[in-house]
């Protein structure tokens, strides 16, 4: 399995797990949140557009995000496999991803769904807020990001479940323990 999505609510630990999984399987880790943050810090035009949405806990418009991912998936390293972290988050992004992958002549191998309790993730994010310096880590924005996730992104799991791609993993516990569960879920017969 080398072309994967990792999904879960904000604070589920997607970024941490995606980075270490990418290293274990030799795939590119593609985090839309990280790419947006890099652009914000370098004050690019994309960064200026994205920042206003991110600070409000809203999604960046699909056309902006889709163009960015299309470009990123076309780069050489993604040819050895990729883990998409934080994309797709809307049905429009699902359609675009289908189209991008069809154009590249490849298919998704699986979707890792990190399952966590909302109160637990809000607590985690509030703790991270003390040190992350992320401007979207304030309590109101954290709660709003959870609502947006449940309204816009959680429904995507049904789409991928219907395609038989989803592997659920309990996201509660130590980082290494969750990583072992992810490996086991990916090794298990589909
Ligand atoms: P989290 O999962 O904690 O929300 P991310 O780093 O994945 O953190 O995303 C941070 C912000 O970047 C999101 O709240 C959103 O504004 C923007 N973003 C990231 N990925 C997408 C996406 N696929 N579509 C639209 N906006 C996105």
């Amino acid at each position: 399995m080398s072309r994967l999505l990792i999904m879960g609510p904000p604070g589920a630990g997607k970024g941490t797990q995606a980075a270490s999984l990418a290293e274990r399987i030799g795939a590119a880790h593609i985090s839309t949140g990280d790419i947006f943050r890099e652009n914000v810090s370098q004050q690019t035009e994309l960064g200026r557009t994205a920042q206003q949405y991110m600070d409000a806990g809203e999604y960046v418009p699909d056309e902006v995000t889709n163009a960015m991912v299309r470009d990123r998936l076309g780069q050489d390293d993604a040819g050895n496999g990729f883990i998409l972290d934080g994309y797709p988050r809307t049905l429009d992004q699902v359609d675009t991803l289908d189209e991008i992958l069809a154009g590249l002549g490849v298919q998704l191998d699986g979707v890792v769904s990190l399952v966590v309790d909302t109160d637990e993730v809000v607590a985690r994010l509030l703790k991270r807020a003390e040190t992350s310096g992320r401007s979207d880590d304030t309590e109101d924005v954290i709660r709003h990001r959870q609502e947006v996730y449940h309204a816009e992104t959680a429904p995507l799991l049904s789409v991928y479940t219907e395609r038989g791609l989803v592997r659920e993993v309990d996201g509660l516990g130590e980082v290494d323990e969750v990583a072992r569960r992810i490996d086991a879920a990916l090794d298990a017969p589909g």
Side-chain angles (χ1 to χ4, degrees), residues 10-11 14 32-34 36-37 53-54 58-60 65 86-87 89 93 128 134 136 145:
K14 287 189 304 288
T32 44
D34 285 352
F36 284 135
R37 277 185 291 277
Y53 296 98
M54 295 172 79
E58 301 287 346
Y59 288 166
V60 176
T65 309
Y87 182 94
R89 292 199 203 211
Q93 293 179 14
R128 182 176 83 184
R134 271 177 55 163
D136 59 350
R145 276 156 56 210

mmCIF file with all atom_site columns, all heavy atoms in Angstrom, residues 10-11 14 32-34 36-37 53-54 58-60 65 86-87 89 93 128 134 136 145, ligand 1:
data_model
loop_
_atom_site.group_PDB
_atom_site.id
_atom_site.type_symbol
_atom_site.label_atom_id
_atom_site.label_alt_id
_atom_site.label_comp_id
_atom_site.label_asym_id
_atom_site.label_entity_id
_atom_site.label_seq_id
_atom_site.pdbx_PDB_ins_code
_atom_site.Cartn_x
_atom_site.Cartn_y
_atom_site.Cartn_z
_atom_site.occupancy
_atom_site.B_iso_or_equiv
_atom_site.pdbx_formal_charge
_atom_site.auth_seq_id
_atom_site.auth_comp_id
_atom_site.auth_asym_id
_atom_site.auth_atom_id
_atom_site.pdbx_PDB_model_num
ATOM   1   N N   . PRO A 1 10  ? -9.685  17.348 13.380 1.00 0.00 ? 10  PRO A N   1
ATOM   2   C CA  . PRO A 1 10  ? -8.539  18.137 13.810 1.00 0.00 ? 10  PRO A CA  1
ATOM   3   C C   . PRO A 1 10  ? -8.118  17.697 15.215 1.00 0.00 ? 10  PRO A C   1
ATOM   4   O O   . PRO A 1 10  ? -8.966  17.568 16.091 1.00 0.00 ? 10  PRO A O   1
ATOM   5   C CB  . PRO A 1 10  ? -9.085  19.573 13.849 1.00 0.00 ? 10  PRO A CB  1
ATOM   6   C CG  . PRO A 1 10  ? -10.218 19.585 12.895 1.00 0.00 ? 10  PRO A CG  1
ATOM   7   C CD  . PRO A 1 10  ? -10.822 18.199 12.965 1.00 0.00 ? 10  PRO A CD  1
ATOM   8   N N   . GLY A 1 11  ? -6.842  17.440 15.392 1.00 0.00 ? 11  GLY A N   1
ATOM   9   C CA  . GLY A 1 11  ? -6.351  17.029 16.713 1.00 0.00 ? 11  GLY A CA  1
ATOM   10  C C   . GLY A 1 11  ? -6.262  15.524 16.878 1.00 0.00 ? 11  GLY A C   1
ATOM   11  O O   . GLY A 1 11  ? -5.829  15.022 17.912 1.00 0.00 ? 11  GLY A O   1
ATOM   12  N N   . LYS A 1 14  ? -3.294  13.173 13.011 1.00 0.00 ? 14  LYS A N   1
ATOM   13  C CA  . LYS A 1 14  ? -3.052  12.825 11.604 1.00 0.00 ? 14  LYS A CA  1
ATOM   14  C C   . LYS A 1 14  ? -1.646  13.197 11.147 1.00 0.00 ? 14  LYS A C   1
ATOM   15  O O   . LYS A 1 14  ? -0.977  12.411 10.501 1.00 0.00 ? 14  LYS A O   1
ATOM   16  C CB  . LYS A 1 14  ? -3.986  13.626 10.673 1.00 0.00 ? 14  LYS A CB  1
ATOM   17  C CG  . LYS A 1 14  ? -5.403  13.234 10.641 1.00 0.00 ? 14  LYS A CG  1
ATOM   18  C CD  . LYS A 1 14  ? -6.140  13.975 9.513  1.00 0.00 ? 14  LYS A CD  1
ATOM   19  C CE  . LYS A 1 14  ? -6.048  15.491 9.569  1.00 0.00 ? 14  LYS A CE  1
ATOM   20  N NZ  . LYS A 1 14  ? -6.821  16.138 10.629 1.00 0.00 ? 14  LYS A NZ  1
ATOM   21  N N   . THR A 1 32  ? -1.755  19.270 3.368  1.00 0.00 ? 32  THR A N   1
ATOM   22  C CA  . THR A 1 32  ? -2.225  20.557 2.836  1.00 0.00 ? 32  THR A CA  1
ATOM   23  C C   . THR A 1 32  ? -2.072  21.659 3.891  1.00 0.00 ? 32  THR A C   1
ATOM   24  O O   . THR A 1 32  ? -1.703  22.784 3.561  1.00 0.00 ? 32  THR A O   1
ATOM   25  C CB  . THR A 1 32  ? -3.683  20.462 2.344  1.00 0.00 ? 32  THR A CB  1
ATOM   26  O OG1 . THR A 1 32  ? -4.448  19.733 3.305  1.00 0.00 ? 32  THR A OG1 1
ATOM   27  C CG2 . THR A 1 32  ? -3.760  19.773 1.003  1.00 0.00 ? 32  THR A CG2 1
ATOM   28  N N   . GLY A 1 33  ? -2.324  21.319 5.177  1.00 0.00 ? 33  GLY A N   1
ATOM   29  C CA  . GLY A 1 33  ? -2.160  22.324 6.229  1.00 0.00 ? 33  GLY A CA  1
ATOM   30  C C   . GLY A 1 33  ? -0.711  22.826 6.280  1.00 0.00 ? 33  GLY A C   1
ATOM   31  O O   . GLY A 1 33  ? -0.461  24.028 6.381  1.00 0.00 ? 33  GLY A O   1
ATOM   32  N N   . ASP A 1 34  ? 0.258   21.888 6.195  1.00 0.00 ? 34  ASP A N   1
ATOM   33  C CA  . ASP A 1 34  ? 1.678   22.293 6.218  1.00 0.00 ? 34  ASP A CA  1
ATOM   34  C C   . ASP A 1 34  ? 2.017   23.160 5.007  1.00 0.00 ? 34  ASP A C   1
ATOM   35  O O   . ASP A 1 34  ? 2.739   24.148 5.129  1.00 0.00 ? 34  ASP A O   1
ATOM   36  C CB  . ASP A 1 34  ? 2.611   21.064 6.194  1.00 0.00 ? 34  ASP A CB  1
ATOM   37  C CG  . ASP A 1 34  ? 2.660   20.346 7.535  1.00 0.00 ? 34  ASP A CG  1
ATOM   38  O OD1 . ASP A 1 34  ? 2.099   20.873 8.520  1.00 0.00 ? 34  ASP A OD1 1
ATOM   39  O OD2 . ASP A 1 34  ? 3.263   19.250 7.594  1.00 0.00 ? 34  ASP A OD2 1
ATOM   40  N N   . PHE A 1 36  ? 0.015   25.051 3.288  1.00 0.00 ? 36  PHE A N   1
ATOM   41  C CA  . PHE A 1 36  ? -0.563  26.393 3.498  1.00 0.00 ? 36  PHE A CA  1
ATOM   42  C C   . PHE A 1 36  ? 0.275   27.184 4.491  1.00 0.00 ? 36  PHE A C   1
ATOM   43  O O   . PHE A 1 36  ? 0.578   28.353 4.265  1.00 0.00 ? 36  PHE A O   1
ATOM   44  C CB  . PHE A 1 36  ? -2.015  26.299 3.994  1.00 0.00 ? 36  PHE A CB  1
ATOM   45  C CG  . PHE A 1 36  ? -3.016  25.945 2.920  1.00 0.00 ? 36  PHE A CG  1
ATOM   46  C CD1 . PHE A 1 36  ? -3.996  24.983 3.145  1.00 0.00 ? 36  PHE A CD1 1
ATOM   47  C CD2 . PHE A 1 36  ? -2.998  26.597 1.693  1.00 0.00 ? 36  PHE A CD2 1
ATOM   48  C CE1 . PHE A 1 36  ? -4.927  24.661 2.166  1.00 0.00 ? 36  PHE A CE1 1
ATOM   49  C CE2 . PHE A 1 36  ? -3.925  26.285 0.703  1.00 0.00 ? 36  PHE A CE2 1
ATOM   50  C CZ  . PHE A 1 36  ? -4.888  25.319 0.949  1.00 0.00 ? 36  PHE A CZ  1
ATOM   51  N N   . ARG A 1 37  ? 0.662   26.536 5.609  1.00 0.00 ? 37  ARG A N   1
ATOM   52  C CA  . ARG A 1 37  ? 1.436   27.276 6.624  1.00 0.00 ? 37  ARG A CA  1
ATOM   53  C C   . ARG A 1 37  ? 2.778   27.752 6.073  1.00 0.00 ? 37  ARG A C   1
ATOM   54  O O   . ARG A 1 37  ? 3.219   28.856 6.377  1.00 0.00 ? 37  ARG A O   1
ATOM   55  C CB  . ARG A 1 37  ? 1.636   26.424 7.894  1.00 0.00 ? 37  ARG A CB  1
ATOM   56  C CG  . ARG A 1 37  ? 0.432   26.487 8.837  1.00 0.00 ? 37  ARG A CG  1
ATOM   57  C CD  . ARG A 1 37  ? 0.672   25.743 10.143 1.00 0.00 ? 37  ARG A CD  1
ATOM   58  N NE  . ARG A 1 37  ? 0.746   24.311 9.926  1.00 0.00 ? 37  ARG A NE  1
ATOM   59  C CZ  . ARG A 1 37  ? -0.317  23.514 9.830  1.00 0.00 ? 37  ARG A CZ  1
ATOM   60  N NH1 . ARG A 1 37  ? -1.536  23.996 9.968  1.00 0.00 ? 37  ARG A NH1 1
ATOM   61  N NH2 . ARG A 1 37  ? -0.167  22.220 9.615  1.00 0.00 ? 37  ARG A NH2 1
ATOM   62  N N   . TYR A 1 53  ? -8.722  32.377 5.799  1.00 0.00 ? 53  TYR A N   1
ATOM   63  C CA  . TYR A 1 53  ? -9.616  31.246 6.061  1.00 0.00 ? 53  TYR A CA  1
ATOM   64  C C   . TYR A 1 53  ? -9.110  30.440 7.249  1.00 0.00 ? 53  TYR A C   1
ATOM   65  O O   . TYR A 1 53  ? -9.883  30.053 8.120  1.00 0.00 ? 53  TYR A O   1
ATOM   66  C CB  . TYR A 1 53  ? -9.711  30.340 4.827  1.00 0.00 ? 53  TYR A CB  1
ATOM   67  C CG  . TYR A 1 53  ? -10.322 31.046 3.645  1.00 0.00 ? 53  TYR A CG  1
ATOM   68  C CD1 . TYR A 1 53  ? -9.533  31.597 2.651  1.00 0.00 ? 53  TYR A CD1 1
ATOM   69  C CD2 . TYR A 1 53  ? -11.712 31.191 3.555  1.00 0.00 ? 53  TYR A CD2 1
ATOM   70  C CE1 . TYR A 1 53  ? -10.098 32.272 1.578  1.00 0.00 ? 53  TYR A CE1 1
ATOM   71  C CE2 . TYR A 1 53  ? -12.286 31.860 2.482  1.00 0.00 ? 53  TYR A CE2 1
ATOM   72  C CZ  . TYR A 1 53  ? -11.468 32.399 1.500  1.00 0.00 ? 53  TYR A CZ  1
ATOM   73  O OH  . TYR A 1 53  ? -12.030 33.061 0.455  1.00 0.00 ? 53  TYR A OH  1
ATOM   74  N N   . MET A 1 54  ? -7.812  30.167 7.263  1.00 0.00 ? 54  MET A N   1
ATOM   75  C CA  . MET A 1 54  ? -7.242  29.340 8.330  1.00 0.00 ? 54  MET A CA  1
ATOM   76  C C   . MET A 1 54  ? -7.453  29.985 9.695  1.00 0.00 ? 54  MET A C   1
ATOM   77  O O   . MET A 1 54  ? -7.825  29.319 10.652 1.00 0.00 ? 54  MET A O   1
ATOM   78  C CB  . MET A 1 54  ? -5.748  29.125 8.091  1.00 0.00 ? 54  MET A CB  1
ATOM   79  C CG  . MET A 1 54  ? -5.494  28.330 6.831  1.00 0.00 ? 54  MET A CG  1
ATOM   80  S SD  . MET A 1 54  ? -3.753  28.274 6.400  1.00 0.00 ? 54  MET A SD  1
ATOM   81  C CE  . MET A 1 54  ? -3.147  27.022 7.518  1.00 0.00 ? 54  MET A CE  1
ATOM   82  N N   . GLU A 1 58  ? -11.973 28.179 8.899  1.00 0.00 ? 58  GLU A N   1
ATOM   83  C CA  . GLU A 1 58  ? -12.759 27.791 7.717  1.00 0.00 ? 58  GLU A CA  1
ATOM   84  C C   . GLU A 1 58  ? -11.852 27.066 6.718  1.00 0.00 ? 58  GLU A C   1
ATOM   85  O O   . GLU A 1 58  ? -10.635 27.230 6.756  1.00 0.00 ? 58  GLU A O   1
ATOM   86  C CB  . GLU A 1 58  ? -13.316 29.040 7.009  1.00 0.00 ? 58  GLU A CB  1
ATOM   87  C CG  . GLU A 1 58  ? -14.216 29.909 7.857  1.00 0.00 ? 58  GLU A CG  1
ATOM   88  C CD  . GLU A 1 58  ? -15.583 29.280 8.101  1.00 0.00 ? 58  GLU A CD  1
ATOM   89  O OE1 . GLU A 1 58  ? -15.925 28.309 7.405  1.00 0.00 ? 58  GLU A OE1 1
ATOM   90  O OE2 . GLU A 1 58  ? -16.284 29.774 8.993  1.00 0.00 ? 58  GLU A OE2 1
ATOM   91  N N   . TYR A 1 59  ? -12.482 26.343 5.802  1.00 0.00 ? 59  TYR A N   1
ATOM   92  C CA  . TYR A 1 59  ? -11.694 25.717 4.751  1.00 0.00 ? 59  TYR A CA  1
ATOM   93  C C   . TYR A 1 59  ? -11.294 26.746 3.699  1.00 0.00 ? 59  TYR A C   1
ATOM   94  O O   . TYR A 1 59  ? -12.087 27.643 3.355  1.00 0.00 ? 59  TYR A O   1
ATOM   95  C CB  . TYR A 1 59  ? -12.485 24.597 4.075  1.00 0.00 ? 59  TYR A CB  1
ATOM   96  C CG  . TYR A 1 59  ? -12.647 23.355 4.934  1.00 0.00 ? 59  TYR A CG  1
ATOM   97  C CD1 . TYR A 1 59  ? -13.562 22.374 4.609  1.00 0.00 ? 59  TYR A CD1 1
ATOM   98  C CD2 . TYR A 1 59  ? -11.867 23.169 6.074  1.00 0.00 ? 59  TYR A CD2 1
ATOM   99  C CE1 . TYR A 1 59  ? -13.721 21.234 5.388  1.00 0.00 ? 59  TYR A CE1 1
ATOM   100 C CE2 . TYR A 1 59  ? -12.014 22.038 6.863  1.00 0.00 ? 59  TYR A CE2 1
ATOM   101 C CZ  . TYR A 1 59  ? -12.949 21.072 6.509  1.00 0.00 ? 59  TYR A CZ  1
ATOM   102 O OH  . TYR A 1 59  ? -13.095 19.957 7.282  1.00 0.00 ? 59  TYR A OH  1
ATOM   103 N N   . VAL A 1 60  ? -10.104 26.588 3.192  1.00 0.00 ? 60  VAL A N   1
ATOM   104 C CA  . VAL A 1 60  ? -9.651  27.381 2.056  1.00 0.00 ? 60  VAL A CA  1
ATOM   105 C C   . VAL A 1 60  ? -10.521 26.940 0.859  1.00 0.00 ? 60  VAL A C   1
ATOM   106 O O   . VAL A 1 60  ? -10.869 25.750 0.762  1.00 0.00 ? 60  VAL A O   1
ATOM   107 C CB  . VAL A 1 60  ? -8.147  27.099 1.807  1.00 0.00 ? 60  VAL A CB  1
ATOM   108 C CG1 . VAL A 1 60  ? -7.641  27.824 0.580  1.00 0.00 ? 60  VAL A CG1 1
ATOM   109 C CG2 . VAL A 1 60  ? -7.326  27.489 3.045  1.00 0.00 ? 60  VAL A CG2 1
ATOM   110 N N   . THR A 1 65  ? -7.293  25.014 -3.130 1.00 0.00 ? 65  THR A N   1
ATOM   111 C CA  . THR A 1 65  ? -6.698  23.802 -2.560 1.00 0.00 ? 65  THR A CA  1
ATOM   112 C C   . THR A 1 65  ? -6.477  22.748 -3.644 1.00 0.00 ? 65  THR A C   1
ATOM   113 O O   . THR A 1 65  ? -5.422  22.112 -3.705 1.00 0.00 ? 65  THR A O   1
ATOM   114 C CB  . THR A 1 65  ? -7.623  23.248 -1.456 1.00 0.00 ? 65  THR A CB  1
ATOM   115 O OG1 . THR A 1 65  ? -7.929  24.304 -0.548 1.00 0.00 ? 65  THR A OG1 1
ATOM   116 C CG2 . THR A 1 65  ? -6.964  22.109 -0.713 1.00 0.00 ? 65  THR A CG2 1
ATOM   117 N N   . GLY A 1 86  ? -4.979  15.580 5.344  1.00 0.00 ? 86  GLY A N   1
ATOM   118 C CA  . GLY A 1 86  ? -5.787  16.804 5.352  1.00 0.00 ? 86  GLY A CA  1
ATOM   119 C C   . GLY A 1 86  ? -6.431  17.101 4.010  1.00 0.00 ? 86  GLY A C   1
ATOM   120 O O   . GLY A 1 86  ? -6.956  18.192 3.796  1.00 0.00 ? 86  GLY A O   1
ATOM   121 N N   . TYR A 1 87  ? -6.389  16.151 3.128  1.00 0.00 ? 87  TYR A N   1
ATOM   122 C CA  . TYR A 1 87  ? -7.014  16.295 1.806  1.00 0.00 ? 87  TYR A CA  1
ATOM   123 C C   . TYR A 1 87  ? -7.424  14.906 1.342  1.00 0.00 ? 87  TYR A C   1
ATOM   124 O O   . TYR A 1 87  ? -6.622  13.979 1.499  1.00 0.00 ? 87  TYR A O   1
ATOM   125 C CB  . TYR A 1 87  ? -6.018  16.898 0.816  1.00 0.00 ? 87  TYR A CB  1
ATOM   126 C CG  . TYR A 1 87  ? -6.600  17.142 -0.583 1.00 0.00 ? 87  TYR A CG  1
ATOM   127 C CD1 . TYR A 1 87  ? -7.135  18.371 -0.920 1.00 0.00 ? 87  TYR A CD1 1
ATOM   128 C CD2 . TYR A 1 87  ? -6.609  16.118 -1.532 1.00 0.00 ? 87  TYR A CD2 1
ATOM   129 C CE1 . TYR A 1 87  ? -7.672  18.583 -2.187 1.00 0.00 ? 87  TYR A CE1 1
ATOM   130 C CE2 . TYR A 1 87  ? -7.153  16.327 -2.791 1.00 0.00 ? 87  TYR A CE2 1
ATOM   131 C CZ  . TYR A 1 87  ? -7.671  17.564 -3.109 1.00 0.00 ? 87  TYR A CZ  1
ATOM   132 O OH  . TYR A 1 87  ? -8.206  17.777 -4.358 1.00 0.00 ? 87  TYR A OH  1
ATOM   133 N N   . ARG A 1 89  ? -11.102 17.160 1.868  1.00 0.00 ? 89  ARG A N   1
ATOM   134 C CA  . ARG A 1 89  ? -11.971 17.507 2.999  1.00 0.00 ? 89  ARG A CA  1
ATOM   135 C C   . ARG A 1 89  ? -13.378 17.858 2.559  1.00 0.00 ? 89  ARG A C   1
ATOM   136 O O   . ARG A 1 89  ? -14.232 18.126 3.397  1.00 0.00 ? 89  ARG A O   1
ATOM   137 C CB  . ARG A 1 89  ? -11.430 18.711 3.750  1.00 0.00 ? 89  ARG A CB  1
ATOM   138 C CG  . ARG A 1 89  ? -10.160 18.419 4.468  1.00 0.00 ? 89  ARG A CG  1
ATOM   139 C CD  . ARG A 1 89  ? -9.904  19.461 5.543  1.00 0.00 ? 89  ARG A CD  1
ATOM   140 N NE  . ARG A 1 89  ? -8.494  19.461 5.818  1.00 0.00 ? 89  ARG A NE  1
ATOM   141 C CZ  . ARG A 1 89  ? -7.954  19.745 6.987  1.00 0.00 ? 89  ARG A CZ  1
ATOM   142 N NH1 . ARG A 1 89  ? -8.708  20.077 8.001  1.00 0.00 ? 89  ARG A NH1 1
ATOM   143 N NH2 . ARG A 1 89  ? -6.661  19.701 7.139  1.00 0.00 ? 89  ARG A NH2 1
ATOM   144 N N   . GLN A 1 93  ? -13.485 18.107 -3.451 1.00 0.00 ? 93  GLN A N   1
ATOM   145 C CA  . GLN A 1 93  ? -12.075 17.672 -3.437 1.00 0.00 ? 93  GLN A CA  1
ATOM   146 C C   . GLN A 1 93  ? -11.954 16.172 -3.735 1.00 0.00 ? 93  GLN A C   1
ATOM   147 O O   . GLN A 1 93  ? -10.988 15.741 -4.360 1.00 0.00 ? 93  GLN A O   1
ATOM   148 C CB  . GLN A 1 93  ? -11.422 18.018 -2.087 1.00 0.00 ? 93  GLN A CB  1
ATOM   149 C CG  . GLN A 1 93  ? -11.294 19.531 -1.864 1.00 0.00 ? 93  GLN A CG  1
ATOM   150 C CD  . GLN A 1 93  ? -10.660 19.908 -0.524 1.00 0.00 ? 93  GLN A CD  1
ATOM   151 O OE1 . GLN A 1 93  ? -10.077 19.066 0.151  1.00 0.00 ? 93  GLN A OE1 1
ATOM   152 N NE2 . GLN A 1 93  ? -10.788 21.170 -0.141 1.00 0.00 ? 93  GLN A NE2 1
ATOM   153 N N   . ARG A 1 128 ? -2.010  21.787 22.891 1.00 0.00 ? 128 ARG A N   1
ATOM   154 C CA  . ARG A 1 128 ? -1.059  22.148 21.841 1.00 0.00 ? 128 ARG A CA  1
ATOM   155 C C   . ARG A 1 128 ? -1.000  23.665 21.659 1.00 0.00 ? 128 ARG A C   1
ATOM   156 O O   . ARG A 1 128 ? 0.048   24.229 21.363 1.00 0.00 ? 128 ARG A O   1
ATOM   157 C CB  . ARG A 1 128 ? -1.491  21.479 20.516 1.00 0.00 ? 128 ARG A CB  1
ATOM   158 C CG  . ARG A 1 128 ? -0.538  21.748 19.365 1.00 0.00 ? 128 ARG A CG  1
ATOM   159 C CD  . ARG A 1 128 ? -0.927  20.995 18.102 1.00 0.00 ? 128 ARG A CD  1
ATOM   160 N NE  . ARG A 1 128 ? -1.951  21.699 17.347 1.00 0.00 ? 128 ARG A NE  1
ATOM   161 C CZ  . ARG A 1 128 ? -2.524  21.234 16.244 1.00 0.00 ? 128 ARG A CZ  1
ATOM   162 N NH1 . ARG A 1 128 ? -2.175  20.044 15.781 1.00 0.00 ? 128 ARG A NH1 1
ATOM   163 N NH2 . ARG A 1 128 ? -3.434  21.932 15.614 1.00 0.00 ? 128 ARG A NH2 1
ATOM   164 N N   . ARG A 1 134 ? 0.326   28.366 16.662 1.00 0.00 ? 134 ARG A N   1
ATOM   165 C CA  . ARG A 1 134 ? -0.566  28.431 15.498 1.00 0.00 ? 134 ARG A CA  1
ATOM   166 C C   . ARG A 1 134 ? -1.696  29.403 15.778 1.00 0.00 ? 134 ARG A C   1
ATOM   167 O O   . ARG A 1 134 ? -2.366  29.308 16.807 1.00 0.00 ? 134 ARG A O   1
ATOM   168 C CB  . ARG A 1 134 ? -1.137  27.037 15.205 1.00 0.00 ? 134 ARG A CB  1
ATOM   169 C CG  . ARG A 1 134 ? -0.245  26.244 14.275 1.00 0.00 ? 134 ARG A CG  1
ATOM   170 C CD  . ARG A 1 134 ? -0.773  24.857 14.041 1.00 0.00 ? 134 ARG A CD  1
ATOM   171 N NE  . ARG A 1 134 ? -2.138  24.802 13.545 1.00 0.00 ? 134 ARG A NE  1
ATOM   172 C CZ  . ARG A 1 134 ? -2.668  23.734 12.982 1.00 0.00 ? 134 ARG A CZ  1
ATOM   173 N NH1 . ARG A 1 134 ? -1.925  22.656 12.813 1.00 0.00 ? 134 ARG A NH1 1
ATOM   174 N NH2 . ARG A 1 134 ? -3.911  23.740 12.580 1.00 0.00 ? 134 ARG A NH2 1
ATOM   175 N N   . ASP A 1 136 ? -4.500  29.510 14.558 1.00 0.00 ? 136 ASP A N   1
ATOM   176 C CA  . ASP A 1 136 ? -5.848  28.912 14.570 1.00 0.00 ? 136 ASP A CA  1
ATOM   177 C C   . ASP A 1 136 ? -6.040  27.994 15.776 1.00 0.00 ? 136 ASP A C   1
ATOM   178 O O   . ASP A 1 136 ? -7.002  27.259 15.853 1.00 0.00 ? 136 ASP A O   1
ATOM   179 C CB  . ASP A 1 136 ? -6.151  28.179 13.253 1.00 0.00 ? 136 ASP A CB  1
ATOM   180 C CG  . ASP A 1 136 ? -5.170  27.054 12.938 1.00 0.00 ? 136 ASP A CG  1
ATOM   181 O OD1 . ASP A 1 136 ? -4.127  26.942 13.624 1.00 0.00 ? 136 ASP A OD1 1
ATOM   182 O OD2 . ASP A 1 136 ? -5.454  26.296 11.994 1.00 0.00 ? 136 ASP A OD2 1
ATOM   183 N N   . ARG A 1 145 ? -13.473 24.471 14.116 1.00 0.00 ? 145 ARG A N   1
ATOM   184 C CA  . ARG A 1 145 ? -12.852 23.500 13.193 1.00 0.00 ? 145 ARG A CA  1
ATOM   185 C C   . ARG A 1 145 ? -13.457 22.114 13.361 1.00 0.00 ? 145 ARG A C   1
ATOM   186 O O   . ARG A 1 145 ? -13.605 21.369 12.393 1.00 0.00 ? 145 ARG A O   1
ATOM   187 C CB  . ARG A 1 145 ? -11.334 23.466 13.398 1.00 0.00 ? 145 ARG A CB  1
ATOM   188 C CG  . ARG A 1 145 ? -10.639 24.578 12.602 1.00 0.00 ? 145 ARG A CG  1
ATOM   189 C CD  . ARG A 1 145 ? -9.296  24.979 13.173 1.00 0.00 ? 145 ARG A CD  1
ATOM   190 N NE  . ARG A 1 145 ? -8.363  23.892 13.306 1.00 0.00 ? 145 ARG A NE  1
ATOM   191 C CZ  . ARG A 1 145 ? -7.409  23.833 14.260 1.00 0.00 ? 145 ARG A CZ  1
ATOM   192 N NH1 . ARG A 1 145 ? -7.291  24.783 15.142 1.00 0.00 ? 145 ARG A NH1 1
ATOM   193 N NH2 . ARG A 1 145 ? -6.595  22.805 14.286 1.00 0.00 ? 145 ARG A NH2 1
HETATM 194 P P1  . LIG B 2 .   ? -6.256  20.515 11.448 1.00 0.00 ? 1   LIG B P1  1
HETATM 195 O O1  . LIG B 2 .   ? -6.450  19.116 10.939 1.00 0.00 ? 1   LIG B O1  1
HETATM 196 O O2  . LIG B 2 .   ? -5.857  20.564 12.893 1.00 0.00 ? 1   LIG B O2  1
HETATM 197 O O3  . LIG B 2 .   ? -7.398  21.439 11.117 1.00 0.00 ? 1   LIG B O3  1
HETATM 198 P P2  . LIG B 2 .   ? -4.419  21.187 9.278  1.00 0.00 ? 1   LIG B P2  1
HETATM 199 O O4  . LIG B 2 .   ? -2.991  21.594 9.434  1.00 0.00 ? 1   LIG B O4  1
HETATM 200 O O5  . LIG B 2 .   ? -4.671  19.926 8.551  1.00 0.00 ? 1   LIG B O5  1
HETATM 201 O O6  . LIG B 2 .   ? -4.982  21.155 10.750 1.00 0.00 ? 1   LIG B O6  1
HETATM 202 O O7  . LIG B 2 .   ? -5.233  22.356 8.551  1.00 0.00 ? 1   LIG B O7  1
HETATM 203 C C1  . LIG B 2 .   ? -5.174  23.695 9.017  1.00 0.00 ? 1   LIG B C1  1
HETATM 204 C C2  . LIG B 2 .   ? -6.089  24.589 8.175  1.00 0.00 ? 1   LIG B C2  1
HETATM 205 O O8  . LIG B 2 .   ? -5.628  24.595 6.805  1.00 0.00 ? 1   LIG B O8  1
HETATM 206 C C3  . LIG B 2 .   ? -7.555  24.158 8.084  1.00 0.00 ? 1   LIG B C3  1
HETATM 207 O O9  . LIG B 2 .   ? -8.331  24.594 9.194  1.00 0.00 ? 1   LIG B O9  1
HETATM 208 C C4  . LIG B 2 .   ? -7.964  24.852 6.759  1.00 0.00 ? 1   LIG B C4  1
HETATM 209 O O10 . LIG B 2 .   ? -8.177  26.239 6.949  1.00 0.00 ? 1   LIG B O10 1
HETATM 210 C C5  . LIG B 2 .   ? -6.727  24.686 5.903  1.00 0.00 ? 1   LIG B C5  1
HETATM 211 N N1  . LIG B 2 .   ? -6.798  23.431 5.103  1.00 0.00 ? 1   LIG B N1  1
HETATM 212 C C6  . LIG B 2 .   ? -5.993  22.349 5.228  1.00 0.00 ? 1   LIG B C6  1
HETATM 213 N N2  . LIG B 2 .   ? -6.342  21.384 4.351  1.00 0.00 ? 1   LIG B N2  1
HETATM 214 C C7  . LIG B 2 .   ? -7.403  21.861 3.660  1.00 0.00 ? 1   LIG B C7  1
HETATM 215 C C8  . LIG B 2 .   ? -8.247  21.337 2.642  1.00 0.00 ? 1   LIG B C8  1
HETATM 216 N N3  . LIG B 2 .   ? -8.067  20.104 2.133  1.00 0.00 ? 1   LIG B N3  1
HETATM 217 N N4  . LIG B 2 .   ? -9.244  22.120 2.172  1.00 0.00 ? 1   LIG B N4  1
HETATM 218 C C9  . LIG B 2 .   ? -9.445  23.354 2.643  1.00 0.00 ? 1   LIG B C9  1
HETATM 219 N N5  . LIG B 2 .   ? -8.720  23.906 3.633  1.00 0.00 ? 1   LIG B N5  1
HETATM 220 C C10 . LIG B 2 .   ? -7.709  23.177 4.141  1.00 0.00 ? 1   LIG B C10 1
#
